[in-house]
Amino acid sequence: MAERHSPTPLYHRVYAVMRERIVKGYYPIDVPVPSEAELSESFSVSRITIRKAMEMLTAEGLVTRTRGRGTYVTDRSKENKLNRVVVSNINSLFSYLNTVGKNTRLKVVSLDLGEAPPRICEQMGVPPTTELIRAVRIRSLDRRPYSLSIAYLLPEIGQTLNRQDLATTNMIDLVQKTGVVVEQVEQTLTATLADDYAAKHLEIPVGAPLMLVNRVFFNADLKPFYVAEIFYRADRYEYRVSLKREDGKDFSLGN
């Protein structure tokens, strides 16, 4: 993490990125997070800076540091009762993806087979050690980065992908060409901060605000086979919803 002219202390920026990683399930709760030395190298900062950031995370209760065992993420598995699924039409999503595809350009960063993060394996309903196909792409609008997408697919679905098709075609179109029927999609939108990887590809500072869209695609048997994480630059993307009252559907808030 290169030093920049910013009123925010460097250790606080490291803390902000680490906090977002923890909240979003980047680190599993049963495996220690990287050591101070590893984080120092990853962020390109001193170990003192990392130590200050970790002290803030510890004070917030997000991690537990034990001498001789390392630092572990605090278990946050209980879901917020206010998180509810909104049911909508899948065709509107596909229409939106088609529009995006026509107005942006794709650049393939990587296409490989490897062990996926625990949070992705949990969403896919597969063991943590399962190897998945991962495709990383950047979308550009007006020749500037617009979004960074990371797709994880079951090998039997993703093995047909190639870099040439990924550079010209929407992932959902490529997936459906394999014969898979998309029966359901679960989508979650959250705010997050750019880590060093996202910052590099989106050409923004580390810690810059991002919109994270997570989509889980289910087949005809309602089994997940494809998970997408899309990071949008907050200065180039907005999510707008129009809500209308249904006739005869008046309601009042309870006490």
Side-chain angles (χ1 to χ4, degrees), residues 190-211:
T190 54
T192 188
L193 300 175
D195 60 11
D196 50 343
Y197 186 80
K200 172 185 175 182
H201 291 295
L202 291 175
E203 300 177 8
I204 54 178
V206 171
L210 296 173
M211 174 67 77

Side-chain angles (χ1 to χ4, degrees), residues 44-248:
S44 298
V45 298
S46 69
R47 293 185 62 170
I48 294 177
T49 298
I50 296 297
R51 189 170 300 121
K52 287 184 177 180
M54 297 306 292
E55 287 173 353
M56 293 177 67
L57 294 170
T58 302
E60 196 172 343
L62 293 174
V63 298
T64 301
R65 311 180 77 184
T66 305
R67 184 180 298 276
R69 294 188 63 245
T71 301
Y72 288 79
V73 172
T74 304
D75 188 358
R76 299 169 56 86
S77 59
K78 293 184 179 180
E79 295 289 340
N80 189 320
K81 292 183 179 180
L82 295 180
N83 290 341
R84 298 179 59 189
V85 175
V86 177
V87 179
S88 186
N89 193 315
I90 195 173
N91 292 328
S92 61
L93 171 62
F94 285 5
S95 176
Y96 163 76
L97 295 177
N98 184 55
T99 300
V100 171
K102 290 180 178 179
N103 292 277
T104 58
R105 290 181 177 274
L106 282 167
K107 175 185 176 182
V108 180
V109 177
S110 63
L111 174 63
D112 52 38
L113 173 66
E115 186 174 325
R119 68 182 186 282
I120 299 298
C121 291
E122 182 178 355
Q123 288 182 298
M124 297 278 279
V126 296
T129 56
T130 301
E131 290 190 331
L132 301 174
I133 299 292
R134 186 183 77 153
V136 181
R137 299 186 296 176
I138 300 171
R139 280 195 181 276
S140 295
L141 179 64
D142 298 330
R143 299 183 179 182
R144 291 189 297 146
Y146 172 73
S147 68
L148 170 68
S149 64
I150 306 177
Y152 298 91
L153 302 101
L154 294 177
E156 57 267 30
I157 304 299
Q159 63 185 356
T160 61
L161 299 177
N162 60 70
R163 295 179 70 98
Q164 182 176 352
D165 288 340
L166 286 171
T168 59
T169 311
N170 286 337
M171 180 66 77
I172 192 60
D173 292 330
L174 295 175
V175 166
Q176 292 185 114
K177 285 181 179 179
T178 67
V180 176
V181 174
V182 181
E183 184 66 26
Q184 180 175 314
V185 182
E186 291 185 359
Q187 176 172 279
T188 304
L189 288 80
T190 54
T192 188
L193 300 175
D195 60 11
D196 50 343
Y197 186 80
K200 172 185 175 182
H201 291 295
L202 291 175
E203 300 177 8
I204 54 178
V206 171
L210 296 173
M211 174 67 77
L212 169 59
V213 177
N214 177 276
R215 297 190 183 110
V216 183
F217 293 77
F218 297 81
N219 62 17
D221 296 323
L222 293 183
K223 293 183 178 180
F225 67 91
Y226 162 34
V227 172
E229 289 187 329
I230 306 101
F231 299 86
Y232 293 94
R233 286 180 48 155
D235 61 339
R236 309 208 68 203
Y237 175 86
E238 68 175 15
Y239 181 77
R240 185 179 301 175
V241 178
S242 177
L243 304 175
K244 297 181 179 180
R245 178 185 296 276
E246 294 183 59
D247 293 338

